[in-house]
Amino acid sequence: MSYEGFNIDLALDEVTGFIFGGNSSNCLTWMDKMGSSKKAENAGVPGSSRDGAPIEMTALLKYCLDLVRRLYEKGVYPYKSVKTKNGADLHFKEWSHRIQTQFEHHYWVPVEPEQFKDYAVNQYAVRRRGIYKDTLRSQKEA
């Protein structure tokens, strides 16, 4: 694997609540596989690089935020928020709400092309409609 493959920077988009990161040289999630065949010349090259914000990571983040919020409300978990890069407190409930309200707009690919304007869709990258995107803001948008 290349040097870049070992470096994964993650960042919070404070508007959407999504966490973005990775690069085209690494496998960002457990769903991605690093190539291993010297014969096929894919050794050390991700078979399905999904840098950006993979949908399953965003869904898992939403679930975890709801879980820690409930644990905080029960007095089991001592923290109700995190500090953002700019020093503001971001409460788990608000963070979860941002993801909830932004999810469809950013991940859904509508069936009808005239609806594309209502969603964060690059019409030139659409190959299938009526599905959720696998990832957002990937360097290799597909």
Side-chain angles (χ1 to χ4, degrees), residues 108-123:
W108 179 246
V109 179
V111 174
E112 301 301 327
E114 57 271 6
Q115 293 177 322
F116 286 1
K117 66 183 178 338
D118 299 327
Y119 295 87
V121 175
N122 176 351
Q123 66 180 347

Side-chain angles (χ1 to χ4, degrees), residues 24 26-27 32-36 42 44-50 140:
S24 60
N26 58 45
C27 294
D32 308 320
K33 182 186 184 318
M34 186 64 71
S36 58
N42 70 357
V45 178
S48 61
S49 176
R50 293 184 309 131
K140 297 178 183 176

Side-chain angles (χ1 to χ4, degrees), residues 65-127:
L65 291 169
D66 291 342
L67 176 65
V68 294
R69 177 191 49 82
R70 286 192 306 270
L71 292 174
Y72 170 77
E73 290 170 354
K74 291 180 180 179
V76 177
Y77 188 71
Y79 307 103
K80 64 180 175 184
S81 63
V82 294
K83 291 263 187 223
T84 63
K85 201 173 192 178
N86 65 15
D89 283 329
L90 179 56
H91 292 250
F92 298 131
K93 185 175 184 177
E94 172 59 25
W95 190 356
S96 174
H97 179 72
R98 290 180 191 181
I99 293 172
Q100 183 74 39
T101 59
Q102 296 290 320
F103 192 87
E104 289 287 323
H105 176 74
H106 288 280
Y107 283 101
W108 179 246
V109 179
V111 174
E112 301 301 327
E114 57 271 6
Q115 293 177 322
F116 286 1
K117 66 183 178 338
D118 299 327
Y119 295 87
V121 175
N122 176 351
Q123 66 180 347
Y124 301 107
V126 173
R127 289 172 184 79

Side-chain angles (χ1 to χ4, degrees), residues 7-10 20-26 28 50-52 139:
N7 293 296
I8 301 175
D9 292 323
L10 299 175
F20 291 88
N23 60 58
S24 60
S25 297
N26 58 45
L28 190 58
R50 293 184 309 131
D51 58 312
Q139 294 172 1

